[in-house]
Amino acid sequence: MNKTAWFDDSVLPAAMLNSGFKPLHQSDHYEALDKCMAMAEGDSLLDIGCGIAEVSTAFPAYKYTGVDLPHVIEKAARVKNPQTKFIAFNANKDSYDFVGDYDIVLMNSFISEMPDWYRCLNNVLCNSKGYIIIHRQEVTHEPSYLREYATYAGLKTTNSVINYEELKKVFYFNEFEILYEADSFPNNNRQKTFLLKKETSNVT
């Protein structure tokens, strides 16, 4: 688990800061995310796998907290956004209890980077109390699988491609309904964006 690119504490942070990518609000996947943010209710936003925390500047109206590995926060996110609140977190071994303190939980290309995606997603869903946004998740109609790819600075990591029906079953098992679903990118129906809400019909 700890051999993926995200655990590299020397090359990775600098590469994230100097990626040359367009700002989030100018990206070709911003529209789907913006739609979800507009539909979700609440003012506290938890961004799991925040990277350099550009969501904090793209959506400045929220009480934002970024979550990532300690070296990503200290050497990349806090360098880029020094006034932002962060939580250091290892999704493979730390408690997910804090997730329940936020109105909206965003996972922007986070579950896709977890080899043990099923456990991580279940932990988030079990602890969340409100809205969840899953953005840029590659799906397939074949069985779920892992593949290797190169990310920042050519570092090797894994990508979880998840069976579409299996993914939805995880949502429903944890009593989340899909409020909105869209292609994350124009003309690409393999990467999906979901807005989920905890079902409350059984609450008195």
Side-chain angles (χ1 to χ4, degrees), residues 3-158:
K3 293 182 179 180
T4 65
W6 310 112
F7 289 87
D8 181 292
D9 64 356
S10 56
V11 176
L12 178 68
M16 295 176 77
L17 287 169
N18 298 289
S19 68
F21 294 150
K22 290 182 179 180
L24 177 58
H25 68 280
Q26 295 178 7
S27 69
D28 55 355
H29 60 87
Y30 174 75
E31 184 177 350
L33 177 57
D34 186 49
K35 177 74 171 180
C36 290
M37 296 296 292
M39 294 177 65
E41 299 175 358
D43 61 1
S44 59
L45 172 62
L46 185 71
D47 182 11
I48 304 179
C50 66
I52 60 172
E54 59 181 338
V55 169
S56 67
T57 55
F59 299 97
Y62 292 90
K63 297 175 184 176
Y64 175 91
T65 301
V67 176
D68 217 311
L69 292 160
H71 58 276
V72 174
I73 289 176
E74 296 305 321
K75 296 182 179 180
R78 206 178 295 281
V79 172
K80 188 70 173 180
N81 293 287
Q83 304 304 317
T84 302
K85 180 181 176 181
F86 296 103
I87 296 174
F89 176 67
N90 183 333
N92 293 324
K93 62 182 182 180
D94 293 340
S95 170
Y96 287 69
D97 290 351
F98 65 92
V99 170
D101 296 333
Y102 297 85
D103 300 318
I104 305 166
V105 178
L106 169 63
M107 292 177 283
N108 176 12
S109 191
F110 169 70
I111 293 298
S112 61
E113 305 303 313
M114 303 305 299
D116 191 4
W117 70 267
Y118 185 87
R119 182 188 62 82
C120 293
L121 178 56
N122 267 292
N123 277 327
V124 172
L125 294 172
C126 284
N127 285 282
S128 178
K129 67 178 183 179
Y131 293 86
I132 289 180
I133 299 171
I134 298 175
H135 184 51
R136 294 193 296 150
Q137 174 58 55
E138 187 166 354
V139 300
T140 179
H141 292 289
E142 304 300 323
S144 301
Y145 63 94
L146 289 175
R147 67 182 176 197
E148 186 179 77
Y149 81 102
T151 184
Y152 298 99
L155 296 170
K156 299 294 184 182
T157 194
T158 56

